[in-house]
Amino acid sequence: MGTLLAAAVRYGYAPVMLLGINGAAIWLAGSGASKAWMLGLLGAAIMVSFTAERVLPYEPDWNRTAGDAGRDIAHSAVNETLILATVAAIPALAALAPAFDIWPVQWPFALQVLAAILAADAGITLVHLASHKIGLLWRFHAVHHSVKRFYGLNGLMKHPVHQTIEMTAGVVPLLILGLPSSVAAVLAVAVAVQLMLQHSNADYRVGPLKHVLALNEGHRFHHLKWAGIGDVNFGLFTLVWDHLLGTYSYNHARKFTSDQLGMAAKPNYPIAYLPQLAEPFRASGACQSEPDWPLSPSSLGLVSHRRVHQSDGLEGHEGP
């Protein structure tokens, strides 16, 4: 029975989340149901995610709290609320934005959702890349990279300022095109589902699609703690932009542990929620080894986000 359950998670978890949860969202939104369904689907996605991680964990230790569970719940609650609030505010935001009203409403609803996902993927991925290169953005993005265990809730462990910047890059261009609120609702669910899958501790498989879809097998490389080594696989939904920009990396021989995660330059990054919110505004929140605050031109310019030179951690790595 245990073997069958493990096999079901290994090969069924990703389809259930990508096709099942997202498919239900498309069906409900397309049929005009109340947006209250979003909360139900998000709850179901969280339950499926946590169950999969316990049935077939990649690293059993990552299922054990390290004094970070409350913090991760706080981050998830705040950032998911921001996403839901954005969806609720779509009509008002659309009235404020200089809309061209050229969204392809004549397309099948599922195709509209796919178009929104691909467009948002481009905006969010490029901001993510910039956040590893521009000191001011890295200050806020560093919160996400402070994790030492890799599991579902890590996806929404973000500073709310950075979460807002990413969502703005992903959603505002769509609003300008006239994005319907029903499509935005499905997009919000798809983002949450993707973040859970991308950071999941479940040892699931998607075959060759791991080179195309931005899921956990590839995203673990992004959380390696060394400068340059972890500056890969930036995509949210797909790895298309990483292939185009030369930032894609994968090595089947690489094994991951907590010792390889986080930030080599900041091993003592604050753990608690409120100190993490404050850290980007402190001198210690700069990307330099010797921070300069107030911000100097160097901390605003293009940098390697974890500025520390180490020779370890390079073995088993294949560059872009």
Side-chain angles (χ1 to χ4, degrees):
M1 184 65 176
T3 302
L4 288 175
L5 193 55
V9 169
R10 188 179 300 278
Y11 301 108
Y13 172 49
V16 165
M17 295 284 275
L18 291 174
L19 302 178
I21 300 293
N22 288 339
I26 290 171
W27 179 75
L28 289 165
S31 63
S34 166
K35 290 186 177 60
W37 58 261
M38 294 173 62
L39 295 175
L41 283 182
L42 289 173
I46 291 170
M47 281 190 357
V48 172
S49 177
F50 272 81
T51 300
E53 289 179 330
R54 276 144 187 81
V55 171
L56 189 68
Y58 174 85
E59 172 53 71
D61 283 346
W62 291 347
N63 283 340
R64 302 184 182 98
T65 181
D68 52 6
R71 173 205 70 193
D72 293 348
I73 291 171
H75 275 297
S76 298
V78 168
N79 290 321
E80 192 56 46
T81 298
L82 283 174
I83 293 174
L84 295 175
T86 300
V87 173
I90 288 291
L93 294 173
L96 295 174
F100 292 101
D101 197 25
I102 57 175
W103 185 261
V105 292
Q106 72 278 9
W107 289 6
F109 188 74
L111 192 56
Q112 293 183 50
V113 170
L114 179 60
I117 286 174
L118 293 177
D121 185 49
I124 293 172
T125 298
L126 294 177
V127 166
H128 191 182
L129 173 62
S131 298
H132 283 238
K133 301 297 182 182
I134 300 175
L136 181 59
L137 290 177
W138 172 251
R139 283 178 169 268
F140 296 98
H141 186 49
V143 169
H144 181 67
H145 278 273
S146 67
V147 299
K148 298 294 290 181
R149 64 186 182 115
F150 200 83
Y151 76 115
L153 283 188
N154 289 159
L156 282 167
M157 191 198 139
K158 300 181 180 183
H159 197 287
V161 171
H162 195 265
Q163 169 80 1
T164 301
I165 292 171
E166 281 192 335
M167 290 304 294
T168 298
V171 173
V172 168
L174 297 175
L175 287 178
I176 293 174
L177 296 176
L179 178 73
S181 61
S182 57
V183 177
V186 181
L187 177 61
V189 171
V191 167
V193 166
Q194 187 68 19
L195 289 171
M196 278 186 269
L197 275 172
Q198 193 174 62
H199 296 82
S200 177
N201 186 31
D203 193 18
Y204 65 87
R205 297 285 188 274
V206 293
L209 287 176
K210 65 177 174 283
H211 300 296
V212 180
L213 301 179
L215 299 174
N216 65 353
E217 283 190 79
H219 197 66
R220 293 187 191 112
F221 290 87
H222 181 75
H223 279 267
L224 288 169
K225 67 183 181 181
W226 298 282
I229 302 301
D231 297 325
V232 297
N233 302 350
F234 293 96
L236 173 59
F237 287 102
T238 77
L239 296 168
V240 171
W241 285 97
D242 290 288
H243 285 290
L244 292 174
L245 296 171
T247 55
Y248 174 70
S249 180
Y250 184 81
N251 179 2
H252 65 87
R254 164 73 77 172
K255 302 299 180 184
F256 298 84
T257 65
S258 290
D259 290 340
Q260 298 174 333
L261 305 183
M263 295 176 284
K266 296 178 182 294
N268 299 314
Y269 199 87
I271 294 175
Y273 181 68
L274 292 179
Q276 284 196 343
L277 295 190
E279 184 66 12
F281 302 98
R282 300 181 186 277
S284 55
C287 55
Q288 288 85 353
S289 297
E290 296 181 2
D292 49 358
W293 183 268
L295 293 173
S296 71
S298 63
S299 65
L300 286 172
L302 298 180
V303 296
S304 180
H305 76 289
R306 295 166 229 176
R307 188 171 292 180
V308 65
H309 298 285
Q310 296 197 1
S311 60
D312 58 345
L314 298 179
E315 69 280 355
H317 177 80
E318 292 177 355

